[in-house]
Amino acid sequence: MANLLKKGLTKYKNLPTPVRASLWSMICIGTQKGITLLSMPIFTRLLTREQYGVFTVYQSWYTILVIFATLNLYGGVYNNGLLKYEKRRNEFTSSIQGLSTTVTFCLFIVYIVAAPFWNSLLKLSTLYVVAMFVEFLCVPAYSYWINREKFSYRYRKMIITTMIVAFGSPTLGVISVLATNYKAEARVLSYVFVQVAVGLFFYIYNASRGKKFFDKEIWKYALWFNIPLIPHYLSYMLLQQADRIMIDKMVGRDSAAVYGVAYAIAMMMTIINDAVNSSFTPYTYKALKRRDFKSVGRTSNMLIILIGVGCVFAMSFSPEIIMVFAERKYYDAIWIMPPVSVSAFFMFMYSLFCNVEFYYEKNKFVTVATCTGAAANILLNYIFINLFGYFAAGYTTLACYIILAVAHYLFHKRVIRQKKLGIKAIYNVRFMMMCSVIILAVMVLITFTYSYFYIRYSIILALVIVAIIKRKWAIGLLKEIKKGKKED
């Protein structure tokens, strides 16, 4: 055992600094998401469905409005700016922070002028909206710092800070909820307090290092770069959050809470998606560079099967997972889990096509596809939630991710034609369609077995046996990807 640990430590020390930084970045993201998920059973038991729904709706509105309040300046433009203004990084950071602050204050004035109208629209009180604006003001500073640490391959301070945020929010949340009768307010404000405390520290830190609130050149560059991307950012967030907001308005806050629990649990698959894609993307880029299209298609086929199997297992154990993460009052969430789990499968599918679009710098295709998916989501939600209730939102989400996958497939075909690559498609579309049909059929089958314990577990047992038989194939896949990453 000691020898294994010693060998592992030696291999880790021999890793290039960028690889180590990427590894720790993934661990930090996984830890944050994991702790958030693990804290869910506590809060679903301490809060009523309506109280938990307040927190769910608050977070949904935050992720949408933050785009308008900050212009997502801590995203792509910041990383590009660190290269463009390499010798003025401190000034660039504080100036971008100044621009974000200015946009936040302008939006706050718009809110103050007609606060009752906006409160009614958001279905949140002034207390929650003001708390949200304080987050808009402070939290981007933390994001600037994190992104700069990643850019410079520094990860030790990032790990410590991430752990403080990851553990601090649920810990303070539990203490606050137990200490008061205003439980919904306690859950939201305790979460905001941790985010703002960390963000404020880095706001002062960034400002003191750069000492520059306004720089005409930097502000002009940032606005020119990011404003065209706002439709993409907004559409992506609407696609993820519109369900809960529309359920809150059309059905009720307690229904939004049930849907939020199901969505959060089902989207655990995205952690696996992100991990797989973070390894497969460099592999894809290197293969595209040497025009080795066959290896990309062949390896992607195996990854699609792996992700599909993961989604099937998530669907199969939905009743048990819901009972672990929430009380019986959330049990109806089992009917939402299957379509949302399968949505994660199609999210991975469209990310494969996106890799091609990003490699050949066809970003506008990504924006068009995302806007199409978001518009379809809002329209389908409005129609089918009215007809069938909030359960329909899971299936509209699935439909929209299928639309996204199809749209990105068509755009990736267009990229192939424009770049004259001499092939019809990089991926095996017939195989993708076959896997899609199979997983949709399994979704329907599994859903009908939720009331039949023995049938469902027989299916699960069969899947486990297949996984054991094919374990060598899975190991071979991982080795192939690793080999591909070492090339070039």
Side-chain angles (χ1 to χ4, degrees):
M1 185 65 179
N3 288 333
L4 285 174
L5 289 173
K6 189 176 181 180
K7 286 181 180 179
L9 186 61
T10 302
K11 285 185 177 181
Y12 170 77
K13 288 180 177 178
N14 291 332
L15 288 173
T17 301
V19 176
R20 273 187 283 174
S22 298
L23 175 65
W24 281 109
S25 178
M26 287 176 61
I27 291 172
C28 288
I29 293 170
T31 301
Q32 273 191 307
K33 290 184 177 180
I35 291 172
T36 299
L37 198 63
L38 291 173
S39 67
M40 185 187 293
I42 301 172
F43 291 111
T44 54
R45 286 164 171 80
L46 291 176
L47 305 173
T48 65
R49 287 199 338 190
E50 185 173 354
Q51 289 167 343
Y52 191 80
V54 171
F55 182 64
T56 298
V57 171
Y58 175 89
Q59 286 191 309
S60 296
W61 274 120
Y62 176 87
T63 54
I64 292 173
L65 295 178
V66 71
I67 296 168
F68 298 102
T70 67
L71 301 181
N72 260 34
L73 293 169
Y74 45 82
V77 67
Y78 184 69
N79 289 326
N80 281 46
L82 289 176
L83 284 174
K84 183 178 177 66
Y85 298 97
E86 186 175 0
K87 296 181 179 179
R88 298 174 58 202
R89 287 177 179 172
N90 289 338
E91 290 181 25
F92 173 73
T93 300
S94 61
S95 293
I96 285 286
Q97 184 171 279
L99 176 57
S100 176
T101 299
T102 303
V103 175
T104 299
F105 271 110
C106 289
L107 194 66
F108 185 67
I109 291 170
V110 172
Y111 166 72
I112 289 295
V113 169
F117 167 77
W118 294 114
N119 291 349
S120 175
L121 179 66
L122 303 178
K123 291 188 72 175
L124 293 171
S125 68
T126 300
L127 174 67
Y128 293 128
V129 180
V130 171
M132 198 179 291
F133 272 99
V134 176
E135 272 199 271
F136 294 153
L137 183 66
C138 298
V139 172
Y142 172 58
S143 299
Y144 297 133
W145 178 80
I146 281 285
N147 288 337
R148 187 166 177 180
E149 292 295 290
K150 290 179 181 178
F151 192 87
S152 302
Y153 304 125
R154 297 190 294 261
Y155 51 87
R156 290 182 178 84
K157 293 178 182 177
M158 183 178 70
I159 296 167
I160 296 170
T161 310
T162 301
M163 294 306 164
I164 291 172
V165 175
F167 285 98
S169 181
T171 302
L172 184 61
V174 171
I175 295 170
S176 302
V177 168
L178 289 174
T180 180
N181 292 324
Y182 299 97
K183 297 187 181 299
E185 292 86 348
R187 177 64 190 114
V188 173
L189 296 181
S190 61
Y191 171 82
V192 171
F193 178 83
V194 174
Q195 304 296 316
V196 169
V198 175
L200 183 60
F201 173 83
F202 286 108
Y203 189 99
I204 297 169
Y205 175 79
N206 293 337
S208 62
R209 290 186 75 190
K211 297 181 176 63
K212 194 105 176 174
F213 186 89
F214 171 75
D215 185 296
K216 183 179 178 180
E217 179 189 345
I218 291 173
W219 279 31
K220 183 179 178 180
Y221 164 74
L223 291 171
W224 176 84
F225 188 103
N226 244 44
I227 286 178
L229 290 173
I230 294 301
H232 166 64
Y233 292 137
L234 179 60
S235 298
Y236 183 75
M237 288 304 173
L238 280 174
L239 190 57
Q240 291 193 319
Q241 306 296 336
D243 298 343
R244 277 156 280 190
I245 292 171
M246 294 182 75
I247 290 170
D248 178 49
K249 287 183 171 295
M250 297 168 67
V251 184
R253 187 142 292 177
D254 61 336
S255 297
V258 174
Y259 185 86
V261 167
Y263 191 93
I265 296 172
M267 282 297 150
M268 283 192 298
M269 278 302 303
T270 59
I271 299 175
I272 300 173
N273 285 4
D274 292 343
V276 171
N277 203 36
S278 65
S279 297
F280 189 57
T281 298
Y283 176 88
T284 301
Y285 284 10
K286 291 175 182 178
L288 292 177
K289 182 180 179 180
R290 62 177 184 267
R291 299 177 71 87
D292 184 10
F293 306 122
K294 286 185 179 179
S295 70
V296 177
R298 185 176 62 252
T299 308
S300 67
N301 289 347
M302 294 183 280
L303 291 175
I304 287 167
I305 293 174
L306 288 177
I307 297 297
V309 170
C311 290
V312 169
F313 274 102
M315 290 188 285
S316 302
F317 290 104
S318 289
E320 290 76 17
I321 294 171
I322 292 296
M323 292 307 293
V324 169
F325 282 94
E327 287 187 307
R328 182 162 287 277
K329 61 189 177 184
Y330 291 93
Y331 192 71
D332 285 347
I334 65 169
W335 308 110
I336 302 166
M337 284 276 290
V340 179
S341 297
V342 178
S343 296
F345 173 79
F346 285 98
M347 287 173 70
F348 178 75
M349 192 93 79
Y350 87 70
S351 71
L352 295 176
F353 299 122
C354 276
N355 286 341
V356 177
E357 294 163 42
F358 280 127
Y359 177 78
Y360 291 108
E361 298 182 354
K362 298 296 181 180
N363 297 0
K364 65 179 181 180
F365 292 162
V366 178
T367 299
V368 172
T370 310
C371 290
T372 302
N377 192 32
I378 293 171
L379 178 62
L380 293 175
N381 277 338
Y382 181 76
I383 294 171
F384 290 102
I385 291 175
N386 275 321
L387 288 175
F388 302 108
Y390 73 94
F391 294 108
Y395 292 92
T396 59
T397 296
L398 172 57
C400 291
Y401 280 114
I402 292 174
I403 291 170
L404 265 180
V406 172
H408 281 295
Y409 160 69
L410 295 174
F411 285 135
H412 120 282
K413 291 266 290 183
R414 190 171 175 180
V415 170
I416 289 170
R417 289 195 300 270
Q418 289 182 352
K419 294 296 179 179
K420 298 178 181 179
L421 300 181
I423 55 174
K424 290 183 178 180
I426 290 173
Y427 301 102
N428 187 334
V429 180
R430 185 175 295 179
F431 177 81
M432 287 179 160
M433 290 178 64
M434 182 185 71
C435 290
S436 300
V437 171
I438 290 172
I439 198 168
L440 288 170
V442 171
M443 177 191 75
V444 174
L445 176 64
I446 290 291
T447 302
F448 279 111
T449 64
Y450 282 165
S451 301
Y452 304 97
F453 178 86
Y454 293 107
I455 296 175
R456 181 161 58 89
Y457 269 77
S458 296
I459 295 172
I460 294 170
L461 180 61
L463 290 171
V464 170
I465 291 171
V466 171
I468 292 172
I469 293 172
K470 293 291 185 179
R471 69 186 185 280
K472 290 183 179 179
W473 167 82
I475 294 169
L477 165 63
L478 295 174
K479 287 181 178 178
E480 183 172 344
I481 295 175
K482 188 175 181 180
K483 180 183 177 183
K485 287 172 72 176
K486 288 180 179 179
E487 295 177 2
D488 290 351

